[in-house]
Amino acid sequence: MIFYKYQGAGNDFIMIDNRQEKFPKNDNTLIAQLCHRRFGIGADGLILLENAAGYDFKMIYYNADGREGTMCGNGGRCVVAFAKELGIIADKATFVAVDGSHYATIEDGLVRLQMADVTAIEMYDDYVFLNTGSPHHVEWVDDLERIDVKKIGAKLRYSDRYKAIGGSNINFVGADKDGFTIRTYERGVEDETYACGTGATAAAIALYHTGRTLHRDILLHAVGGDLQVSFECTGKVYTNVFLKGEAKKVFKGETNELVS
């Protein structure tokens, strides 16, 4: 099996061209094995690129635990770059994912991806909850560098408040001199990741919605790199939401893991 490795702001993914539908999509154990950082290729997730009528391609995303996941923003940006590598697209793409259709452009190495509209935001005393293709808990913290993201994130992710939806991704956001910094605990990875695209999108909208910024084009510094989120807002509805950042091929390889 030929595979590619891509990363967007340090969020890394195994990419597989599955247009001939040869990959065993129901083998969750195999997918988890491929994503394992000690016994496999190593990645935050695995993405299949497939054919889809009326679109340039279809994106299917699996978390590192081997289970099919909800939308992944950085994964979406990386699969667009992958589609260009394969010659499927030039600098524009329309594709379908688990949360619906997406439009993206590539310019100067940056992939700009349209995310889902956000129509509902839940406000609480110390956090905000919203869905940007994946569920996200966004919490403001004063000392972001010192927070134990894995420990506190896991506690919140598995708390009673999120049991009904299978757990939430947890984002911690703080201010810095030229924007905002974000750290994210991702469900499915069950650890802090270097970046999270839907998390950065959720954080940017939450920052605007709570009045922490008046800007609708927001820079967020993740552990693995910068992400930029822009949107329009009418009342409490957020539309034309775009996530932008680098998406780079790390390497191309092959594995005999699928050979029986």
Side-chain angles (χ1 to χ4, degrees):
M1 182 189 73
I2 302 297
F3 69 90
Y4 295 72
K5 182 78 172 286
Y6 273 76
Q7 64 88 12
N11 213 181
D12 59 342
F13 309 96
I14 299 166
M15 296 286 179
I16 296 174
D17 179 359
N18 197 42
R19 286 176 290 174
Q20 295 183 5
E21 299 188 5
K22 293 183 177 180
F23 187 86
K25 296 193 287 188
N26 296 322
D27 193 339
N28 304 118
T29 300
L30 170 65
I31 295 169
Q33 173 81 11
L34 292 171
C35 291
H36 199 287
R37 296 195 181 277
R38 295 292 181 268
F39 302 106
I41 299 165
D44 291 328
L46 181 146
I47 295 174
L48 301 179
L49 183 150
E50 297 187 345
N51 293 315
Y55 296 92
D56 292 314
F57 58 88
K58 179 180 181 180
M59 166 188 172
I60 302 178
Y61 173 69
Y62 296 88
N63 288 311
D65 62 7
R67 293 179 291 182
E68 187 170 349
T70 47
M71 181 56 185
C72 176
N74 286 328
R77 293 190 310 97
C78 284
V79 78
V80 171
F82 180 43
K84 183 174 182 177
E85 168 82 12
L86 296 176
I88 298 171
I89 64 167
D91 296 319
K92 296 180 181 179
T94 302
F95 68 94
V96 64
V98 68
D99 64 336
S101 61
H102 292 267
Y103 171 74
T105 59
I106 304 175
E107 185 176 356
D108 297 328
L110 300 177
V111 179
R112 185 171 180 260
L113 172 66
Q114 186 170 26
M115 305 293 286
D117 292 347
V118 176
T119 58
I121 300 177
E122 299 177 23
M123 302 275 290
Y124 299 91
D125 290 339
D126 55 351
Y127 69 95
V128 174
F129 178 80
L130 65 160
N131 194 308
T132 54
S134 292
H136 282 278
H137 168 117
V138 181
E139 186 172 319
W140 181 266
V141 294
D142 292 324
D143 195 356
L144 188 58
E145 290 185 0
R146 295 190 178 185
I147 191 169
D148 189 333
V149 171
K150 185 174 182 179
K151 180 179 179 180
I152 300 174
K155 183 178 180 181
L156 290 169
R157 179 257 197 270
Y158 288 105
S159 64
D160 290 342
R161 73 184 80 172
Y162 296 127
K163 276 188 177 179
I165 60 170
S168 175
N169 299 286
I170 310 297
N171 305 272
F172 302 98
V173 184
D176 61 28
K177 60 183 179 181
D178 62 345
F180 300 94
T181 302
I182 181 171
R183 296 177 66 186
T184 301
Y185 177 96
E186 282 199 56
R187 65 175 190 174
V189 179
E190 308 309 334
D191 202 347
E192 180 177 7
T193 53
Y194 274 38
C196 175
T198 53
T201 303
I205 291 174
L207 287 166
Y208 181 84
H209 199 76
T210 57
R212 291 189 180 275
T213 181
L214 299 177
H215 298 290
R216 298 183 185 183
D217 193 339
I218 300 170
L219 177 67
L220 293 122
H221 304 295
V223 176
D226 293 345
L227 293 168
Q228 195 164 356
V229 179
S230 61
F231 50 81
E232 295 177 7
C233 178
T234 303
K236 296 182 179 180
V237 177
Y238 292 82
T239 59
N240 289 323
V241 182
F242 281 89
L243 172 70
K244 185 171 75 172
E246 288 186 335
K248 293 184 176 182
K249 182 175 76 172
V250 181
F251 59 84
K252 174 183 178 181
E254 60 181 84
T255 175
N256 62 358
E257 191 67 36
L258 302 188
V259 178
S260 59

